[in-house]
């Protein structure tokens, strides 16, 4: 029997039998793991506050032997997550963060930077007003951790630095392209690329979020479209959380963040 | 599907929620050992429940009639509707005997990752019901979904949708359990209890 206590984010929880839950976790050292939480729908002690997608905390997991399924023995939230259902935009954003991670990350494939990126994005979204800039930084860092981040400051064919007010970009070819190799490719404003570079750096997320939030709507939309052009081909299916976000406007009664939302 | 009748029955029972392989076999064996009259009644009840139960045209609860007995009961208070996620939630509230208004069953809660969005819930019938309430104007909608993230999100969604119609939307209270002791309550429950405190 091996047991581990690890930081974790709940990516998804679904009913398993009468009172159990199947819980998918992202952890720094064990990677993405599928766990069975016995009696989780009844237990208020071991899983206080429940196990909603986006719950950020410390998980106690165990398994009988190498290769066996993990069992989630307890989960202690370190971030207040029970209020998530009291803000629909926040609820949708956190679901998007978790679903995108769940769909793109293969089990178990541990990667500490990936966990840090998700924990940062979930933590920030739970703490403050949900911002598309937080989603963008997470998407870029997730792509980076998966080896899918496109070239942003040099030609992905010849390696030459790219510099112009508008730069050729092709997600299919691997990112930005120089004048020679980018003939005929769509152009992206240099400001958008600069924003993407600043967002995916490890240092000073606050400044990067602020800069991205302060950019013009056109630049922010261009950044969203650029990131989505890289993310979309990697998805095996349409994201349900995005369908949910789109469905938040029936009869115009429920507001959502316009413009560059995911 | 197994050809052996016992295995077949066991496999069919095992598809029900909360029934594992062992329990399914135990139930199948119990049925085999039961007297024929009971087995006939059970078989008939299974067929009847599936053939006759339908959704109430008013509240979307399960009923053998087009309109359920609660919606057709003139003594109930039509100005208050209690919105629940599932028929079993309605049954639990009804058992308590404290609510004499009408119900509406959503048949789920918002769960983006489970692929359940607003259009998958019985929200449109609720809106039609409110718009058509006419003289017996609905004054209050009590959202009695479970106090978890999905239940809260569903309640909030309904309040944003229905609030502008001039109907008061309220949420059932949550917090420390009656009879429980404060020192054993978890942080999340205490947080919610303090946040949702009420004036005495």
């Amino acid at each position: 029997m091996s047991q581990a206590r690890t930081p974790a984010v709940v990516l998804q929880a679904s009913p398993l039998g009468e009172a159990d839950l199947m819980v998918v976790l992202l952890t720094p050292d064990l990677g993405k793991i599928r766990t069975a939480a016995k009696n989780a729908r009844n237990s208020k002690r071991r899983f206080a506050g429940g196990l909603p997608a986006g719950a950020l905390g410390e998980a106690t997991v165990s398994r009988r032997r190498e290769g066996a399924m993990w069992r989630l023995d307890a989960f202690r939230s370190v971030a207040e997550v029970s209020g998530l259902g009291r803000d629909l935009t926040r609820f949708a954003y956190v679901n998007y963060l978790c679903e995108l991670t769940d769909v793109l990350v293969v089990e178990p494939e541990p990667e500490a930077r990936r966990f840090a990126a998700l924990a940062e994005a979930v933590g920030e979204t739970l703490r403050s007003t949900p911002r598309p800039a937080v989603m963008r930084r997470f998407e870029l860092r997730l792509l980076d951790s998966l080896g899918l981040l496109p070239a942003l400051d040099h030609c992905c064919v010849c390696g030459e630095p790219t510099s112009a007010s508008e730069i050729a970009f092709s997600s299919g070819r691997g990112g930005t392209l120089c004048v020679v190799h980018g003939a005929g490719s769509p152009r992206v404003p240099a400001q958008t690329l600069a924003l993407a570079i600043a967002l995916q750096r490890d240092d000073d997320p606050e400044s990067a979020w602020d800069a991205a939030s302060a950019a013009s709507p056109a630049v922010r939309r261009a950044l969203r479209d650029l990131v989505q052009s890289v993310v979309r081909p990697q998805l095996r299916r349409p994201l349900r959380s995005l369908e949910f976000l789109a469905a938040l406007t029936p009869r115009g009664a429920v507001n959502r963040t316009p413009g560059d939302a995911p | 599907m197994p050809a052996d009748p016992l295995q077949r029955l066991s496999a069919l029972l095992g598809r029900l929620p909360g029934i594992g392989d062992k329990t399914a076999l135990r139930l199948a064996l119990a049925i085999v050992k039961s007297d024929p009259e009971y087995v006939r009644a059970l078989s008939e009840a299974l067929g009847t429940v599936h053939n006759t139960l339908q959704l109430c045209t008013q509240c979307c609860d399960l009923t053998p009639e087009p309109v359920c007995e609660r919606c057709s009961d003139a003594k109930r208070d039509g100005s208050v509707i209690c919105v629940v996620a599932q028929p079993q939630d309605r049954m639990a509230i009804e058992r308590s005997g404290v609510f004499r208004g009408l119900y509406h069953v959503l048949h789920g809660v918002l769960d983006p990752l489970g692929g359940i969005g607003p259009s998958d819930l019985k929200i449109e019938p609720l809106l039609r019901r409110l718009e058509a309430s006419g003289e017996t104007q609905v004054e209050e909608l009590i959202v009695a979904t479970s106090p978890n993230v999905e239940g809260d999100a569903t309640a909030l969604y309904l309040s944003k949708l229905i609030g502008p119609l001039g109907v008061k939307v309220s949420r059932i209270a949550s917090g420390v359990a009656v009879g429980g002791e404060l020192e054993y309550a978890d942080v999340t429950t205490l947080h919610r209890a303090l946040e949702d405190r009420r004036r005495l």
Side-chain angles (χ1 to χ4, degrees):
Chain A
M1 168 81 87
S2 62
Q3 193 175 52
R5 192 175 285 189
T6 172
V9 175
V10 174
L11 298 182
Q12 195 180 0
S14 47
L16 180 70
E18 185 72 357
D20 304 345
L21 285 176
M22 170 77 78
V23 185
V24 183
L25 299 173
L26 187 76
T27 71
D29 301 322
L30 303 169
K32 180 178 132 181
I33 53 170
R34 210 163 285 272
T35 67
K38 287 273 175 197
N39 211 28
R41 292 158 82 187
N42 287 338
S43 174
K44 298 283 167 284
R45 194 150 303 226
R46 292 182 298 132
F47 307 105
L51 292 162
L56 176 64
E58 187 183 69
T60 307
V61 293
S62 61
R63 63 177 173 181
R64 291 196 177 163
R65 58 179 190 284
E66 186 79 21
M69 190 178 182
W70 287 98
R71 184 181 152 141
L72 180 60
D73 297 319
F75 188 90
R76 190 175 59 84
S77 288
V78 293
E80 171 49 34
V81 79
S82 67
L84 199 54
R86 295 179 171 196
D87 182 329
L88 288 172
T89 307
R90 181 173 287 143
F91 178 61
Y93 275 31
V94 167
N95 274 277
Y96 170 72
L97 291 170
C98 293
E99 188 178 21
L100 184 65
T101 309
D102 195 15
V103 169
L104 291 185
V105 175
V106 179
E107 294 172 56
E109 205 180 80
E111 230 282 25
R113 279 188 317 148
R114 186 178 304 149
F115 174 79
L118 180 63
E120 175 193 273
V122 168
E124 178 63 17
T125 307
L126 289 174
R127 251 190 318 272
S128 58
T129 309
R131 285 187 287 178
V134 175
M135 306 294 117
R136 287 302 91 75
R137 174 170 160 86
F138 170 70
E139 290 160 342
L140 289 162
R141 295 179 81 204
L142 178 64
L143 288 171
D144 192 19
S145 78
L146 292 163
L148 297 170
L149 187 71
L152 296 169
D153 60 357
H154 62 274
C155 175
C156 59
V157 176
C158 65
E160 279 293 306
T162 48
S163 59
S165 61
E166 287 204 320
I167 297 165
F169 185 88
S170 165
S171 56
R173 293 172 72 182
T176 45
L177 296 152
C178 65
V179 179
V180 177
H181 294 104
S185 293
R187 309 270 145 174
V188 174
Q191 201 188 344
T192 302
L193 292 165
L195 212 52
I197 292 167
L199 274 171
Q200 57 91 31
R201 280 201 196 116
D202 280 341
D203 58 333
D204 200 6
E206 283 291 347
S207 304
W209 288 327
D210 289 345
S213 300
S216 72
V219 168
R220 286 189 281 138
R221 273 196 298 273
L223 178 60
R224 179 198 58 190
D225 295 345
L226 181 145
V227 174
Q228 285 300 316
S229 74
V230 182
V231 168
R232 218 171 290 127
Q234 308 299 326
L235 302 175
R236 299 185 296 273
R237 57 168 172 79
L239 294 183
R240 291 162 175 166
S241 52
L242 289 186
E243 289 169 10
F244 175 73
L245 199 60
L248 285 184
T249 43
R251 297 178 174 218
V254 181
N255 299 322
R256 57 173 282 203
T257 309
D260 59 338
Chain B
M1 192 62 66
D4 176 66
L6 180 66
Q7 295 296 329
R8 186 158 173 261
L9 177 59
S10 177
L12 287 169
L13 290 168
R15 278 161 56 176
L16 294 171
I19 307 286
D21 290 346
K22 283 181 187 168
T23 308
L25 184 60
R26 201 158 49 236
L27 290 173
L29 284 168
I31 290 170
V32 169
K33 288 174 188 167
S34 302
D35 68 86
E37 193 50 42
Y38 169 75
V39 175
R40 249 194 310 278
L42 178 65
S43 161
E44 192 189 314
L46 281 172
T48 308
V49 84
H50 198 266
N51 291 335
T52 60
L53 281 190
Q54 54 190 307
L55 296 188
C56 170
T57 54
Q58 303 285 306
C59 70
C60 298
D61 199 357
L62 293 171
T63 170
E65 304 297 332
V67 178
C68 73
E69 57 179 285
R70 286 159 299 283
C71 288
S72 49
D73 182 352
K75 289 182 191 155
R76 296 191 81 110
D77 182 359
S79 67
V80 191
I81 294 179
C82 180
V83 180
V84 294
Q86 300 291 354
Q88 55 266 40
D89 300 328
R90 191 274 301 160
M91 292 171 202
I93 294 174
E94 197 64 1
R95 266 198 309 274
S96 73
V98 295
F99 182 69
R100 291 297 300 161
L102 300 176
Y103 293 92
H104 189 87
V105 184
L106 295 173
H107 291 273
V109 286
L110 293 177
D111 179 12
L113 301 188
I116 302 174
S119 62
D120 300 299
L121 306 178
K122 300 290 180 194
I123 292 174
E124 275 300 323
L126 176 62
L127 291 172
R128 284 201 301 272
R129 194 175 168 191
L130 293 174
E131 284 162 0
S133 64
E135 286 176 13
T136 54
Q137 191 75 42
V138 176
E139 290 170 10
E140 185 176 3
L141 204 74
I142 304 169
V143 187
T145 49
S146 295
N148 53 32
V149 169
E150 289 81 11
D152 286 344
T154 307
L156 181 62
Y157 182 82
L158 287 176
S159 76
K160 298 225 177 210
L161 206 59
I162 288 160
L165 301 179
V167 177
K168 179 184 168 188
V169 182
S170 59
R171 179 91 170 98
I172 52 164
S174 60
V176 182
V178 177
E181 294 193 31
L182 215 59
E183 65 170 311
Y184 293 114
D186 62 80
V187 176
T188 311
T189 303
L190 282 173
H191 187 277
R192 180 66 67 90
L194 285 168
E195 205 174 65
D196 294 348
R197 68 190 180 276
R198 65 190 170 95
R199 191 172 183 166
L200 295 173

